[in-house]
Amino acid sequence: MSKVDLRITPSRSVLPASQEPQLLYALIELSAQSGATKMPRLPLNLCLVIDRSSSMRGERLQQVKQAAMQILDLLGDHESFALVTFNDRAEVVVPAQLARARAEIKRQISAIEAAGGTEMATGLALGLQELQRAMMPRAIHRLLLLTDGRTYGDEGRCVEIARRAQARGIGITALGIGSEWNEDLLETIAARENSRTHYITSAAEITKIFTAEVERMHNIFAQDVQLRATLPPQGLLRSLDRVRPYIGPLPIIEEADFAWTAALGDWPESDAQALLMEIVVPPLPVGRHTMLRLQLRYRVPGSEGTTANHEQNLVVGVRNPDEVASEVDPTVKHWLERLVAYRLQASAWQAAEEGKLEEATRRLQMAGTRLFEAGEIELARTVQEEATRLLRSGQASAEGRKRIKYGTRGLIGREGQS
């Protein structure tokens, strides 16, 4: 039987006694420990939604077609495959069907040609329709979207369709290639559990990213993972962020007094997970105190409604101030530095959109300083270059903005530090 290894590391194991609230960070690390019995592989219900506008012409579309054929070869005969393309219009190229007639499906894929503009919403709607035609029980349902351009006038409908899909248990992987696509739209589409975005810098990466995503979906260790955090009276969970396998905020819901929950979605066994909590600790007397009660609950794939539950408490000492050192745990500090850099660049882009260019530039420069200190030299230089460009011309480059957003999002650190 597989199990979860759950570890909680506080930023400080001892806090000074204080009459004022104080901050404590808790790093939560989760890893799957496979048992003697291999977890069953759930069938995949997959639909590719591919941009075939004229800008995809050439190597990009050729790589997409090769990647789609390779995905088809990864699927079992009992799994479902569909492919939808969109430009000014959307078209079902491969209707949802079991992945058996591979030669005929590959012939249909090879006939795709690039032309026209970009209108994403109709493609998403047709993709959702095909997935719903093949909704199998106890399956993983995913829509894989790839685009290289901006869609205009239907952004709101794209988000609405994505939310409808996610409410029905369909995750979305949104892939952007090149520098012209709208990263804010794709991030919004994928801002729910089981959904994520990738930045593809070259056509040669397409096959690698596509196949890696399918392998992750074939490797689900736990489904519908829920995290519940209970704090002492008057305690506050101020934020929860995922820091591994990528950095990004997680929505939290206060479900009872001093108790919060977060949905983490499905968990591929290959993904080590790490979360960073920011906790406001109330004034406490000298002694040892349970600062956090953590519960992890998930469904076991392939079982008839079986759930698993793991619990762990974080106990921290409170002593007289003159007995307490100020050092922060180095592992927590490692992740906190990268999270701060990610937050600074995100707030910089928001300030830029509000026309606050000096504020945006200042935040980018602060992010660059953090990255230099963290040893992320190349990314720090890109941040400083875009800060200078923003101040001089009033806007950052599309490519630079994407490199910074996805570069800071993927700051998982060097081996040995994580």
Side-chain angles (χ1 to χ4, degrees):
M1 178 68 180
S2 300
K3 62 177 184 177
V4 169
D5 183 17
L6 194 165
R7 184 169 57 177
I8 308 175
T9 306
S11 54
R12 302 172 72 183
S13 57
V14 180
L15 294 175
S18 171
Q19 297 301 310
E20 301 294 330
Q22 51 189 317
L23 274 182
L24 178 72
Y25 292 91
L27 176 68
I28 300 156
E29 295 172 278
L30 309 169
S31 58
Q33 305 294 319
S34 294
T37 304
K38 185 68 179 174
M39 297 296 291
R41 169 172 147 171
L42 297 182
L44 186 59
N45 174 22
L46 177 69
C47 180
L48 308 186
V49 178
I50 305 299
D51 183 346
R52 68 171 189 93
S53 59
S54 56
S55 56
M56 288 288 292
R57 185 175 291 126
E59 186 185 4
R60 285 182 184 175
L61 188 58
Q62 192 58 36
Q63 290 282 352
V64 168
K65 291 195 280 190
Q66 288 179 8
M69 293 179 194
Q70 192 157 330
I71 282 178
L72 188 63
D73 289 333
L74 291 174
L75 299 181
D77 286 351
H78 61 299
E79 296 182 295
S80 179
F81 179 86
L83 193 148
V84 168
T85 60
F86 65 93
N87 50 14
D88 301 313
R89 302 173 57 190
E91 177 187 7
V92 178
V93 177
V94 181
Q97 59 189 276
L98 295 178
R100 290 175 179 166
R102 289 182 170 78
E104 172 58 20
I105 294 174
K106 288 181 180 178
R107 187 193 65 74
Q108 293 169 324
I109 293 171
S110 66
I112 298 171
E113 294 183 357
T118 302
E119 191 175 319
M120 190 185 299
T122 52
L124 284 173
L126 269 187
L128 176 58
Q129 178 181 301
E130 289 304 307
L131 282 168
Q132 289 176 314
R133 289 180 58 225
M135 290 294 275
M136 301 172 284
R138 297 196 310 172
I140 303 294
H141 309 286
R142 289 290 187 279
L143 187 152
L144 199 57
L145 166 71
L146 183 136
T147 184
D148 75 338
R150 288 178 176 267
T151 185
Y152 291 99
D154 61 348
E155 292 92 341
R157 189 162 169 251
C158 289
V159 175
E160 177 191 334
I161 294 166
R163 295 292 174 266
R164 200 160 67 234
Q166 288 150 344
R168 295 170 188 173
I170 298 170
I172 298 176
T173 300
L175 310 171
I177 181 170
S179 61
E180 298 305 318
W181 50 281
N182 184 340
E183 68 269 21
D184 291 336
L185 175 60
L186 293 200
E187 290 276 333
T188 303
I189 285 174
R192 290 288 174 89
E193 58 267 26
N194 296 336
S195 299
R196 51 198 265 150
T197 62
H198 285 284
Y199 172 29
I200 301 176
T201 55
S202 70
E205 291 182 61
I206 293 174
T207 300
K208 179 182 174 184
I209 299 289
F210 269 43
T211 53
E213 278 300 294
V214 171
E215 286 169 359
R216 288 182 75 258
M217 295 172 209
H218 274 150
N219 195 24
I220 296 296
F221 167 80
Q223 290 185 285
D224 191 22
V225 182
Q226 303 284 326
L227 191 74
R228 188 175 198 268
T230 305
L231 303 184
Q234 310 310 317
L236 173 67
L237 177 57
R238 201 151 80 172
S239 65
L240 175 65
D241 290 88
R242 193 190 302 271
V243 293
R244 192 176 185 186
Y246 55 86
I247 297 175
L250 284 168
I252 52 176
I253 298 172
E254 188 171 7
E255 66 167 25
D257 288 345
F258 316 117
W260 288 260
T261 59
L264 307 185
D266 294 344
W267 177 4
E269 186 174 0
S270 54
D271 286 359
Q273 307 267 343
L275 315 171
L276 195 59
M277 278 186 178
E278 187 174 278
I279 299 169
V280 179
V281 177
L284 293 169
V286 170
R288 289 179 63 78
H289 299 272
T290 299
M291 297 293 183
L292 171 64
R293 296 183 187 278
L294 201 64
Q295 293 176 295
L296 187 75
R297 190 177 178 85
Y298 58 86
R299 285 190 292 115
V300 179
S303 66
E304 296 295 339
T306 302
T307 60
N309 194 44
H310 297 264
E311 296 186 16
Q312 192 158 329
N313 295 340
L314 172 64
V315 177
V316 172
V318 176
R319 296 181 188 165
N320 293 319
D322 56 359
E323 300 174 0
V324 178
S326 59
E327 287 83 5
V328 174
D329 179 273
T331 305
V332 177
K333 184 181 178 185
H334 167 88
W335 291 114
L336 191 54
E337 286 172 341
R338 285 152 179 78
L339 176 60
V340 169
Y342 175 82
R343 286 177 173 174
L344 281 168
Q345 64 83 34
S347 64
W349 303 132
Q350 185 175 352
E353 289 175 6
E354 293 169 356
K356 302 172 183 174
L357 296 182
E358 290 188 6
E359 179 67 18
T361 303
R362 187 178 67 81
R363 292 182 186 181
L364 276 183
Q365 289 170 336
M366 290 169 64
T369 301
R370 293 274 183 168
L371 291 167
F372 270 120
E373 292 173 351
E376 303 290 344
I377 306 302
E378 185 177 347
L379 184 57
R381 286 179 178 145
T382 300
V383 172
Q384 298 291 9
E385 288 170 6
E386 291 302 327
T388 302
R389 189 193 305 270
L390 185 64
L391 190 61
R392 287 178 178 171
S393 67
Q395 60 183 6
S397 72
E399 182 179 358
R401 180 171 161 144
K402 289 178 176 63
R403 286 189 180 278
I404 292 168
K405 174 172 279 192
Y406 286 89
T408 52
R409 197 164 187 251
L411 284 174
I412 62 173
R414 295 173 290 280
E415 286 189 23
Q417 287 184 288
S418 56

